[in-house]
Amino acid sequence: MKEKVYIGIDPGKAGFICILAPYEEIEFIPIQKDPKAEFDLWHVRGVIEGIFTRFEGMDIVVGIESVHALFGASAGSTFNFGYITGVLNGLVAAKGITIVNPQPKEWQKVMWEGAGLIKKKSSSGKTEVTDTKATSIKACKKLFPTVDLRRTERSTKMDDNKCDSLLIAMYLKRKNF
């Protein structure tokens, strides 16, 4: 039986790739070195190729969050988000690797269990809604207390994109995809 490698991807220019490989520490790779720069298709292609080359011969499963238009986001940012997600799915599919595209609510339900939801006021200020970013960070810290969840060593805040990529990879492992 081949050893499994679980790769969780939180798409977007500020997104992350998280690798859960047997006998190795958790590894994070940013989709873009500089999330404010123009999307670099060739860089992303190189990153994906490098990962698959490293784990050639192993059973690789990739989870790329299934995205949808975000309320209040501009048409341009929604298009870019969808474009990056499509590129990632295409690069993985071209290698013949198993892809799982869980909806956010699907993986969050599994991975947030027991963490406790964090609430915030809605944009209208009339109701309370779940703060998905803060809840993911809380769940990730509970599950992986020693993992550095900052975007860089110089960052002071936890990065929800990094957290989500790790939670998606762990979701795949828990569900035994």
Side-chain angles (χ1 to χ4, degrees):
M1 184 175 193
K2 291 182 185 177
E3 292 186 287
K4 278 202 169 184
V5 177
Y6 297 97
I7 300 173
I9 302 179
D10 184 50
K13 283 173 61 173
F16 266 91
I17 300 167
C18 176
I19 303 168
L20 292 178
Y23 316 113
E24 292 189 31
E25 288 190 28
I26 296 166
E27 181 181 351
F28 294 101
I29 303 168
I31 288 176
Q32 290 270 118
K33 288 188 190 257
D34 179 2
K36 293 178 181 146
E38 190 72 27
F39 179 70
D40 186 347
L41 173 64
W42 301 109
H43 167 76
V44 174
R45 178 182 173 266
V47 167
I48 297 293
E49 293 266 336
I51 292 168
F52 294 153
T53 300
R54 261 180 54 208
F55 298 108
E56 195 170 336
M58 297 178 97
D59 188 7
I60 303 170
V61 180
V62 176
I64 302 172
E65 185 176 50
S66 180
V67 297
H68 54 279
L70 300 172
F71 180 74
S74 72
S77 65
T78 299
F79 177 83
N80 285 334
F81 194 48
Y83 172 74
I84 292 167
T85 303
V87 164
L88 290 165
N89 275 285
L91 289 169
V92 174
K95 288 294 190 181
I97 305 295
T98 302
I99 304 172
V100 179
N101 294 111
Q103 294 285 328
K105 288 185 189 254
E106 185 183 336
W107 67 259
Q108 289 167 347
K109 180 180 178 187
V110 172
M111 299 312 300
W112 290 356
E113 193 174 306
L117 300 178
I118 297 175
K119 299 289 187 175
K120 67 178 183 180
K121 290 281 186 193
S122 66
S123 55
S124 67
K126 295 180 181 177
T127 59
E128 278 196 339
V129 295
T130 300
D131 185 335
T132 57
K133 293 177 181 192
T135 303
S136 278
I137 290 169
K138 182 179 178 185
C140 219
K141 286 165 95 175
K142 182 177 180 183
L143 292 167
F144 306 97
T146 61
V147 174
D148 184 0
L149 300 171
R150 298 172 300 157
R151 183 165 195 89
T152 66
E153 289 181 10
R154 296 178 60 188
S155 299
T156 56
K157 292 197 239 174
M158 304 294 163
D159 189 298
D160 61 283
N161 300 295
K162 199 172 186 180
C163 289
D164 285 356
S165 69
L166 175 52
L167 292 174
I168 292 166
M170 194 63 196
Y171 167 79
L172 297 174
K173 187 172 183 175
R174 279 195 182 173
K175 288 296 196 173
N176 199 27
F177 281 103

